[in-house]
Amino acid sequence: MKSCFCTGVFPPEGMEEAVARLADLGYDGVEFWDQYLKTADVPALADVCRSRAVEVLQICPYFDFTGSHEAWEGSIRTAERYVGWARTLSCRHIRVFTGSVGSGAATPDQRRAAVEGLRAICRMGLSE
């Protein structure tokens, strides 16, 4: 890969045109963030990227592994969707945000919860 562009600067409804424009500019990779993917037709997006020879380098969800147990469980459900989307997009990387608590302020329990959440996501990625 030579160059990648974060598509977060484009409006979600114009993503097909954005991918085409980025390919025309010479970019060979893109990164999609949560605010776009949660409303996208991911199989159609995969087709657009393949047709323009643009690799999806990473997708970027937001999790909350440092909040409540309910938030942790919701993050696992979000991760299940993202692992599926990564497969559809032939994307090997999921960049994660683990919560709103910074690493310097996290308690030992919050750190443990974040590590366990990340381990669970990694196991999802390894299974078919």
Side-chain angles (χ1 to χ4, degrees):
M1 166 147 337
K2 296 179 218 162
S3 59
C4 181
F5 195 92
C6 175
T7 57
V9 300
F10 294 104
E13 63 278 357
M15 198 54 61
E16 183 174 335
E17 180 183 329
V19 169
R21 188 174 337 158
L22 291 169
D24 291 344
L25 289 170
Y27 286 93
D28 53 1
V30 295
E31 169 185 297
F32 294 112
W33 285 61
D34 182 64
Q35 50 271 51
Y36 175 69
L37 284 178
K38 67 184 177 184
T39 61
D41 178 343
V42 175
L45 180 60
D47 290 342
V48 167
C49 290
R50 273 191 290 277
S51 73
R52 298 300 300 211
V54 173
E55 178 184 352
V56 180
L57 179 65
Q58 68 183 19
I59 55 179
C60 308
Y62 294 94
F63 300 127
D64 185 358
F65 290 127
T66 59
S68 68
H69 178 72
E70 292 78 18
W72 193 97
E73 291 290 331
S75 293
I76 293 296
R77 287 189 298 278
T78 298
E80 289 169 347
R81 267 193 322 278
Y82 265 82
V83 169
W85 288 342
R87 287 187 176 116
T88 300
L89 293 164
S90 301
C91 175
R92 299 184 61 204
H93 302 280
I94 299 175
R95 178 181 179 191
V96 301
F97 297 88
T98 59
S100 59
V101 177
S103 58
T107 66
D109 285 343
Q110 288 171 319
R111 288 176 188 268
R112 250 187 310 283
V115 167
E116 287 307 310
L118 293 172
R119 285 181 177 160
I121 295 169
C122 289
R123 285 191 297 271
M124 287 178 210
L126 293 172
S127 67
E128 281 299 313

